[in-house]
Each structure stands twice: as structure tokens, then as C-alpha cells.
Amino acid sequence: MGLLGKLKGELVDIIEWMDDSRSTLAWRFPRYQNEIKNGAQLIVREGQKAVFVYRGALADQFEPGHYELTTESLPIMSTLQGWKHGFNSPFRSEVYFINTRPVTDLRWGTPQPVTVRDPDFKMVQIRANGLCVVKIVDVEIFLKEVIGTDSAVEADEIAELLRRVISMAFSDMVLATGLGAIDLQGQQVALSAKLAEFVQERVDDEFGLSIPEMTMNISLPDEITQAMTRGVAKGVEASGFVENVDLNKYQQAQVADSMLAAAQNEGGSVMGDMMQMGMGAMMAGQMAQSMPGMAGNQQPAATPAPAAAPAPPPLPGQTMYHVDHGGQSGGPYNMAQMQAGIQNGQVTGPTLVWAQGMAAWAPAQSVPDLQALFSAPPPMPPMPPTSATPPPVPPTSAAAE
């Protein structure tokens, strides 16, 4: 190769970027001391933008298209290099290709939990993660703040930058909304757009980026999730957290479940007999309400029976007792069931019982509400036998004379 061919080989004729990775956000054309000659071809494909940098200063920018590099197509470069009457010799300049397509698979997550003040659970630590869509919108800011002197910028580098920004933005958004942990998790879709706005304020003028879309998934601590699950399924107090449930309905359901379990126990037990007896009483009451003819005042068949009145609700504040049976808890039982058990000898004075509001299990005879059931008056003694011979009638005064 002659000297002329060698010189031609050192000159850049075509400047383009063939990228199929979709993960590179910026790429510097490798010049390697080669110079760009007058009339070189610049090819910018869709989803790209080309920028010329001369001695650290941003010069000309090119949108997608095919360009011939001349004085007319490089007005800023002509001014910087003093091309007053055009240039005929090669020139040196750094050329960067910017990926203007949105990157849709950037994952983010909070490295540390965020503390939230919740009206039901007090202080709760939550985490969040999701996907983020990012796009370069201001090439000049991105070139200065992100690219610097790097030859290429990958999506992973932007992801690390965004994770820190999103984590701080998420904490600020939670504080601004004032919502509790449950409400935050229930409004994740709406709050995702709000979080994107918080992040956008931190990356537009600072890094030249745009956040068109963001998804978010809020995670609660395991103990709270379990408490919510049990609370919804059972309607009870779980793990120290109280749900808004109807305690009377819950007590009724507990009694019914306990009675049914005891009735199905073929082995039988003292407490099982008590629960079967209580279940029988409840069934009898329900049958009496639904079948007026069995209630004792059967009416003629020709006369329709009046509609049965609805069963009264349980008395407010009714105490339900749990009874210790050989180390196993039975119940809860209402006062009528406890009275029946005491009268049958199935519950004695030393039997341990517990009810809502008691600090610990205690003997039944020491509970004020149950003491009266143990001190019931003895049954009335039988009447004395009557004599078959009537007593003699005392004589009257006339017979005595």
C-alpha cells in the first residue's frame, strides 16, 4: 500500500452505530487518532441521536437521517474551529451516539425498609420494588452529568443511579401522602404514578432523563400479613393486632364450632357432654322458633301459625368462659351453660376458668360471677308422710253435757 492509500485508510469516511443490544444508552465512535475528512457520511438511525464534541464543548447535534459533513451541516463546528470559508482538510472531533429509545426493564427496589406510621399497627417497616421506564430527553445534560469521558454507558449504570434516587423519592412520597401501611398497599397502582412524578423531579434537570412509567409493589412485614389474613378469615384478634369485628358474632361462631367438634367426638368426654348438651339446647330453641307447633301451644291445623319472632341478639357484654379440662381448653360457654355444668358436677370449685378481661386462669369458685352458682340454696326437703286415719274430732260442748 502506498503512502496515499495509507493516508486514505486513516481518514474516516462513514460514521454510524450498529447496535442491537438495546441495553447501551450512549456510545462514543472509536476514532483512534483518525480524522474525519471533509464530506464524510454520517448515518443516524431511528432511536438514535448523534452529537459532536470539540475540545469538551458540545457542538452540532443530528437527528435520525443521512448527512454529508460539510461546512453547511456543521455550523457550530465551523464556528469553533474558525472555518470562515469552508474546510478542505480533515478535522478531529468526538462523536457520541445517544440511544433515545425508552429502556423498559430497569428494576429497582428499596435497599432499606421505610418506616410508616400506621393507625392500626403503629410503626410499620415496609419495602417496595418494581420496574422503571427511563428515556434520555436532554442530551447536553446527560452528556455532562452521566457520560463524562466514558466511551459507553450501559443501562446497568443508570439502574444503579436510579435505585438510589427512587429509594429517597419513595420515602418522601410516603411521608407526603400520610397514608398507613394498609392504605399504601391498597393504592399501589395510583401511587406508582405519583412516585414517577417524585422521581421525575429528581432526574430531569439533574441527569437529562425522563420517567414515562413506573410500577410499584409494596411489601408488608410477614407478621402483619399473617395477622391480616387471619383477621379476614376468622374475624378475630391476631398477633396482637385487633381488627374491627363483631365480637358477639365471633363468640357465637366459636360456641357453634366447639359444640360441633365435641358432638363429632365418639370417644366422649365430660366437656364434650357439656357441649352436646348446650348444642342440643340451642337446636331445641331454634326448632321452637321455626316450628311453632312444637313449642307447646300447638294451634289447629286450619289456623295458620303466626310468624315466629326473630331471635333476640346476644346480650351486650355477655361473658363467655373457657374451662380447663385436663390441660385442654374448652369453650367458650355462656352463663347458662356454666350453670348446667356446675349443677351436673362437671365444673367444680377448683376447676380453672378464664374469660376476656381476666389476667390469668383462676378457680371457678373464685370468680365473682360464678360464685353465686356454687352457693345455690339446697333443694326443698320432702313433705312428711300423711296418716290414713283422720285425727279424732274433739267433742263439742253440747255432747259434753
Side-chain angles (χ1 to χ4, degrees), residues 110-130:
T110 52
Q112 301 295 332
V114 177
T115 303
V116 177
R117 185 182 299 276
D118 187 88
D120 298 321
F121 304 105
K122 306 307 179 187
M123 306 302 292
V124 180
Q125 289 189 327
I126 63 175
R127 293 179 178 271
N129 59 72

Side-chain angles (χ1 to χ4, degrees), residues 153-174:
V153 176
E154 300 294 333
D156 293 341
E157 302 178 44
I158 299 298
E160 292 296 332
L161 174 66
L162 288 178
R163 288 189 186 102
R164 297 192 297 268
V165 175
I166 295 175
S167 179
M168 294 184 293
F170 175 76
S171 179
D172 294 341
M173 184 206 66
V174 170

Side-chain angles (χ1 to χ4, degrees), residues 232-249:
V232 172
K234 301 292 185 180
V236 298
E237 180 180 346
S239 300
F241 304 116
V242 181
E243 300 286 340
N244 292 327
V245 299
D246 190 335
L247 295 180
N248 290 328
K249 292 182 179 179

Side-chain angles (χ1 to χ4, degrees), residues 225-366:
T225 303
Q226 295 172 5
M228 292 172 56
T229 303
R230 289 196 295 266
V232 172
K234 301 292 185 180
V236 298
E237 180 180 346
S239 300
F241 304 116
V242 181
E243 300 286 340
N244 292 327
V245 299
D246 190 335
L247 295 180
N248 290 328
K249 292 182 179 179
Y250 167 64
Q251 291 173 352
Q252 291 176 353
Q254 283 287 85
V255 171
D257 292 343
S258 301
M259 289 180 176
L260 181 59
Q264 295 175 348
N265 184 8
E266 298 180 357
S269 63
V270 176
M271 298 308 298
D273 296 339
M274 288 180 60
M275 288 184 283
Q276 291 181 8
M277 175 182 61
M279 184 170 64
M282 292 177 61
M283 293 178 61
Q286 294 176 356
M287 293 176 64
Q289 294 175 5
S290 60
M291 302 178 62
M294 298 180 61
N297 296 327
Q298 186 173 2
Q299 299 181 4
T303 304
L315 296 176
Q318 183 179 13
T319 304
M320 305 295 291
Y321 289 93
H322 295 263
V323 179
D324 176 31
H325 176 62
Q328 297 182 356
S329 175
Y333 309 110
N334 56 26
M335 291 298 293
Q337 293 171 324
M338 294 297 296
Q339 183 178 10
I342 292 175
Q343 291 177 355
N344 293 336
Q346 297 166 337
V347 177
T348 62
T351 302
L352 297 178
V353 299
W354 180 86
Q356 188 72 27
M358 295 177 58
W361 292 78
Q365 61 189 2
S366 66

Side-chain angles (χ1 to χ4, degrees), residues 64-209:
H66 187 185
Y67 305 90
E68 181 178 355
L69 301 181
T70 62
T71 306
E72 291 76 15
S73 61
L74 295 169
I76 301 179
M77 185 70 69
S78 300
T79 302
L80 293 177
Q81 295 203 15
W83 298 334
K84 298 180 180 179
H85 305 289
F87 72 97
N88 297 317
S89 61
F91 69 96
R92 292 185 178 183
S93 175
E94 296 177 343
V95 182
Y96 287 90
F97 284 90
I98 308 299
N99 182 3
T100 59
R101 295 171 299 181
V103 180
T104 60
D105 57 350
L106 291 182
R107 298 183 178 273
W108 65 271
T110 52
Q112 301 295 332
V114 177
T115 303
V116 177
R117 185 182 299 276
D118 187 88
D120 298 321
F121 304 105
K122 306 307 179 187
M123 306 302 292
V124 180
Q125 289 189 327
I126 63 175
R127 293 179 178 271
N129 59 72
L131 294 175
C132 177
V133 178
V134 62
K135 182 179 180 181
I136 301 174
V137 291
D138 194 318
V139 175
E140 183 175 2
I141 297 178
F142 186 80
L143 182 65
K144 294 179 179 179
E145 302 297 334
V146 180
I147 298 178
T149 58
D150 295 342
S151 60
V153 176
E154 300 294 333
D156 293 341
E157 302 178 44
I158 299 298
E160 292 296 332
L161 174 66
L162 288 178
R163 288 189 186 102
R164 297 192 297 268
V165 175
I166 295 175
S167 179
M168 294 184 293
F170 175 76
S171 179
D172 294 341
M173 184 206 66
V174 170
L175 182 62
T177 58
L179 298 176
I182 307 301
D183 295 330
L184 286 172
Q185 193 179 51
Q187 302 181 28
Q188 293 179 118
V189 176
L191 292 176
S192 296
K194 192 173 187 65
L195 177 60
E197 296 176 1
F198 272 74
V199 177
Q200 180 66 51
E201 296 175 356
R202 291 166 167 81
V203 298
D204 51 1
D205 296 335
E206 289 78 4
F207 306 108
L209 300 175

